[in-house]
Structures are given as structure tokens and as C-alpha cells.
Amino acid sequence: MTMSRPNYAEISVERLTKHYAKVRAVDDLSFTVHAGRVTGFLGPNGAGKTTALRMILGLVTPTSGTATIGGVRYVDMPDPIRQVGAILEASSAHRGRSARNHLRIICRAAGLPDQRADEVLAMVGLNTVGTRKFKGYSLGMKQRLGIAAAMLGDPRVLILDEPTNGLDPEGIRWMRDLLRALAAEGRTVLVSSHLLGEMQQLADDVVIIAAGRLIRQGPVAEVLGSTAGVARVRVRTPQPDQLAAALRDAQLEVTATPDGLLQVSGADAARVGHLAFTAGVELHELTGESADLERAFLDLTAGKAGAR
Amino acid sequence: MNLISAELLKLRTTSLWWIFAVSMVPLYGLALGYNWLTTSVITEMDVPDEGPFGLISMQQIVSNLYTSGQFAGVLLVLLLSAILVTNEFFHLTATATFLTTPRRELVILAKMAVAVLIAVTVWLFTTGLNLIFAPVALSSTNNESFLGESFVWQAISLNLLVHVLWALVGIGCGVLIRSQIGTTITLTVLYVVGTQIFTAVFAVLANQVDEVFMQLRVLVPTLASELLVSGPQSPEDLPRWVGAVVLLAYAGVAGVLGTLITKRRDIA
């Protein structure tokens, strides 16, 4: 629909900072979002995710630092709707206006043909309710309308703030499949969420922030590996002292809990079971705790949410 | 042009415009009826046409008749223009608007263009009806139509100017105040009872402090508007164009200041 353009674009955030009267909402934040991948933007509530996204989109002016998409600031783009599609939590339509008219207004302002509105409505499955007023829309329908608006200009970059909020499991699955498909087409997808399990299934990369600062950035597997790559195993035994000694002899870290449980890190369940068998210790429970994004996230952001 | 088209579509796709249009009809009817009645009363009293400084001249009666609906028309234009802006914040559509058009001053300019279009439309509506009903009212009171007189056409043209200037004031105030309810109430109060309140205030100041305050009351937008429409009412009054300049200054200052603020303001 447009002339030749690079079919990929990175989002580049460099030393982005936003100070409000007393709060550093975003503090010297730098990260890169790659094309063709879904990047999860994670952080506790109030970490500055929304402020950072709004600065990338030119809605909030940074105190210092820059954010560019494909090397250009959003506010300098002559046709931003064709480059970047965005869904923000607070983005909304006039209650008394139909979804179709809401989209047609954006088409007019962006110089897109009116029928694009009908095309994207069909794409998100709202074509039969496009003439219904926005106030009659359910939360799920509003999120779909948000996606429709974001896709109007067939953009190569998508920025979504909590897009699964208010969606039912089916809607979440739909959103996940859609975002994965869009990334597979080579688009850049940056999506913030507090649903960590959701992000583990969806994201290729994660950017984790807390108190406005970058905590960790990288592929999901790498971030998991760096914090929780060391497997943990939970063991229950009637002979805890004997087992702890045997495990420590094997250079494993062991923590005893008062109720007779042992927490072992540095080995998987098979190794712990083997060591117990060799030492002749009876086991009543042996549970491997798998590394997950949620625990990695909690470990990484522990104590930082309130530190501002 | 894309942005103006988008703004017009925004206006057409909610119920706001026809609520305003519907309320305009009875308000116009009231204004016409009042002016008609005045014309008939004054004609019966047989007031001589004694020029611009008389108690109430025939010229002024006829001008009022040909600009019937001005008070309500300007009020509706003012409010609708302000709401064009405040709606974006009230309904949280500012995010979508400024994502589509990051150069926010262009959005404000498009809204000004639409406000001027609204002003012209309202003026066309009342003027069209006035050109039908005013001659009827005049002939029913045994007067000629005065349509050949230049003062009638001057009044009609000034009526247009006043509508347009207030539309710009409305946009400027909407941008500055931003709160839908706050803007609506402020503008309505200022427009409807502001004239009386400020006339009283300036009369007291002139009486107690210095005569110069009587001249300064033209700084009140409604009084500037009145000066522009009716012309000087007494020999010490300022000329008409001062009223136009004051209104234009309000529209300009509010518009420019509001646009600068809108450009800098965080949309969150």
C-alpha cells in the first residue's frame, strides 16, 4: 500500500527519563526491541511501563533521553499510523459514536481510504457489530476494536499496553495467536503485561523494569537461565540431617525448613534421588521446581517496587 | 484537508450537533418574536429616526430584526466550538487523535476551521430565516423592508463576523480550560450574565476610582461584542472596530496559548 520501505523497524529507547514533581517515573531506561519477535514489557504495577510506552509514542514528553522507531521519533513521522499501531490502556472511543465511525475518523485524518475501517473490523471479527455504539461494547470487544484501530495503517511496528486486560481465555488465546502471527510476518511487537504466565507463552524477548529502571533484557530463555537456571528440588525425608550432609558432600546448596523439608539448589530431582539412594536415605517426597518467568520476575524485582 | 474532514466526521457522528440544532429552533423563534413585538410597539409609539445616539432608533430596531437569533446563535457556536476540544479529553479520544496526528497544532487548526464552518452555518440559518421573516414583520407593522439600506447589510455582515470571532474564542477557551463541564459553565455564565455583571463592576469602578474604567469595559468580551454589533451608544464610546480587535485578541491569545500548552502537555 506504500512505496518501498524497510519491512522491519527496531524500537530503540536510549536513556529515557521522565521526572514528575517528586517521582522518577522512568529513570535512565535503555532497551532495544527487535523486529520479527514478540517482546514482553514487564514490571510491577507503577514500574513506569505505561509512561515509557507513551513516551515512545510521543504522547508524553521525556525529561531527557530519546525513543525512536526505525531511527525516527514518533512525532517526526509524516505518516505514523502507517508505521506504528498502538493500543493504550486509556485509549477509547466516544461513547455515542459507532466503532465503524471511530475507525473512519482515524482513516480520514491519516489519509487512508474509508473501506480500511471495514477491512480491519472484519479482521478482528467485529464486522457484524461495527455500527453499534461504543458504549454498547464489552471489554473484550473494546480490546478487539483497539487492535482494529492499531492495524488500520498496516503498520510494521505494534505497541500494546496490557492488551489482554479484560479478555476471557478465548480472547487471550486469540490475541496471542494474532500477535505471534504478526511477529512471524516480520513486524516488531512490543506488549506490556502483568500476566507473566501469559508472557512466557507469548514472548520471545522480555524487558523487565522496576521503579522506572531496567532490570533485565534478553530472550526469555536467557533471562530464565540467568536467575533460575539452577534447578531447585524440594525433598521430604525422615532423616533430614543425614541427607543434608550427603548433599553438601556433593557440593549442593541445602536449606532446611522447620517442617522437615529440604530445599536443594544446583541439582535436578534425578540427581538428588540418586544421592539419597546412595546414602541409604528414605524419601517421602521429591519435587523438582521448574524455572518460570514468574519466579524470575519476582526474584529480579524483589524489593524494588516500593523503592521510589 | 484530511484533518478538517476527520473533524467534520467527528462532529457528524455523535448526537451533539442535532441537539444543538434542535435547541436553536425555539431560541430563534423567541428572538424573532421578541424583535417583532418590539418593532410593532416602537412603530406604534412613532419614534422618530433620530440617528445612532437616540434612546432607541428605528435603524437599531431594524438591525435587530435582521440579526434575530444572534444571542442564542453565538452562544451555541461558542459552546459547540469549545466542546469540539473538550470532548477529546472527556471521552479520552485525545490519545487516538494525537497518535494519528502527532503534530497537535494541526489538530487545533482543523478544529478552528470546523468551528468557523459551524459559525457560518448557524449564521446562514438565522440570516436565511431573517431575510424571510424580517420583511414580513416590518410590512405587518406598516414599515418598508429597509433591504435597500446599507445599514441592514452592515448589520448582517457584522453578525457573521461576531459568530466567527466567538467560535475562535470557544476553541481557545476549550483548549485552555480542557474540562468539559468547567468550560461549558464558564462560557455560558460569562456570555449570558457576564455583560450585566461586568457593566456593573465597571460602572462602580468608574464612579469610585477613575472615569477611565468606563472606557476599559470594552476589554470584557461580551461588551466588545456588543460594541461591534451595535456601534457606539454614546459620544464617549469607542468606535466599532475596537470591539472587533478586542474579540480577535481574545480568540488569538486563547488559541495560541492553548495550542502551545496542548503541544507540551502530556496525554496520559
Side-chain angles (χ1 to χ4, degrees), chain B residues 78-79 81-83 86 170-189:
Chain B
L78 174 67
L79 292 180
S81 304
I83 291 173
T86 55
I171 293 283
C173 291
V175 174
L176 272 183
I177 304 176
R178 194 161 56 146
S179 147
Q180 179 117 299
I181 294 158
T183 309
T184 314
I185 291 174
T186 307
L187 291 180
T188 309
V189 169

Side-chain angles (χ1 to χ4, degrees), chain A residues 18 54 59 61 74 97 108, chain B residues 5 10 13 99 266-267:
Chain A
K18 180 70 181 181
R54 285 185 169 261
L59 293 169
T61 313
Y74 189 89
R97 188 178 284 139
R108 292 274 175 97
Chain B
S5 159
K10 281 181 194 173
T13 50
L99 278 177
D266 291 341
I267 309 294

Side-chain angles (χ1 to χ4, degrees), chain A residues 8-292:
Chain A
Y8 63 88
E10 279 189 351
I11 301 173
S12 176
V13 172
E14 282 165 44
R15 313 208 60 179
L16 202 59
T17 301
K18 180 70 181 181
H19 291 184
Y20 290 109
K22 288 213 168 108
V23 185
R24 291 177 174 223
V26 174
D27 194 4
D28 204 21
L29 182 65
S30 301
F31 62 87
T32 308
V33 181
H34 301 288
R37 300 172 73 83
V38 176
T39 300
F41 191 35
L42 295 171
N45 283 338
K49 298 188 296 289
T50 297
T51 306
L53 294 182
R54 285 185 169 261
M55 281 195 281
I56 294 171
L57 293 166
L59 293 169
V60 169
T61 313
T63 307
S64 63
T66 56
T68 56
I69 300 168
V72 186
R73 291 194 309 155
Y74 189 89
V75 291
D76 295 331
M77 292 179 183
D79 54 351
I81 288 295
R82 293 169 197 252
Q83 309 287 332
V84 184
I87 306 185
L88 298 171
E89 216 170 359
S91 66
S92 181
H94 192 292
R95 287 171 49 74
R97 188 178 284 139
S98 75
R100 185 162 173 267
N101 281 330
H102 172 69
L103 295 173
R104 286 176 64 204
I105 286 167
I106 300 174
C107 287
R108 292 274 175 97
L112 296 166
D114 276 2
Q115 74 253 28
R116 246 335 254 167
D118 298 315
E119 289 169 22
V120 293
L121 278 175
M123 184 190 137
V124 301
L126 290 177
N127 38 336
T128 54
V129 289
T131 51
R132 198 187 290 178
K133 285 182 178 176
F134 185 71
K135 64 182 164 197
Y137 269 40
S138 69
L139 203 47
M141 290 160 87
K142 287 178 182 172
Q143 292 287 29
R144 282 172 188 260
L145 179 60
I147 288 276
M151 292 307 295
L152 273 176
D154 192 22
R156 53 191 175 152
V157 176
L158 282 153
I159 295 177
L160 308 99
D161 195 7
E162 305 271 1
T164 50
N165 260 6
L167 288 184
D168 55 18
E170 192 206 342
I172 290 176
R173 190 200 172 98
W174 171 82
M175 180 78 73
R176 185 170 66 218
D177 292 347
L178 178 69
L179 296 183
R180 290 232 54 94
L182 292 170
E185 291 169 13
R187 297 180 216 251
T188 310
V189 180
L190 176 62
V191 47
S192 83
S193 180
H194 62 278
L195 297 173
L196 299 157
E198 173 61 30
M199 206 46 81
Q200 198 165 2
Q201 296 179 58
L202 171 64
D204 303 301
D205 298 327
V206 285
V207 172
I208 300 178
I209 69 169
R213 302 186 70 104
L214 181 70
I215 301 294
R216 191 65 59 90
Q217 153 169 38
V220 172
E222 207 174 278
V223 170
L224 289 178
S226 70
T227 59
V230 208
R232 287 196 226 188
V233 178
R234 207 156 54 127
V235 208
R236 192 186 298 276
T237 169
Q239 305 139 272
D241 296 342
Q242 213 177 322
L243 180 62
L247 294 171
R248 286 194 182 108
D249 284 348
Q251 309 297 319
L252 298 179
E253 198 180 305
V254 182
T255 325
T257 60
D259 53 346
L261 263 175
L262 294 180
Q263 293 277 6
V264 188
S265 26
D268 58 11
R271 175 111 200 274
V272 174
H274 177 74
L275 288 168
F277 179 73
T278 314
V281 174
E282 180 184 345
L283 293 188
H284 291 172
E285 184 188 335
L286 180 63
T287 315
E289 289 180 351
S290 64
D292 68 5

Side-chain angles (χ1 to χ4, degrees), chain B residues 11-34:
Chain B
L11 181 67
R12 283 201 294 114
T13 50
T14 65
S15 45
L16 191 68
W17 73 269
W18 64 258
I19 292 173
F20 273 70
V22 166
S23 49
M24 187 63 214
V25 174
L27 289 172
Y28 170 77
L30 272 176
L32 180 71
Y34 176 81

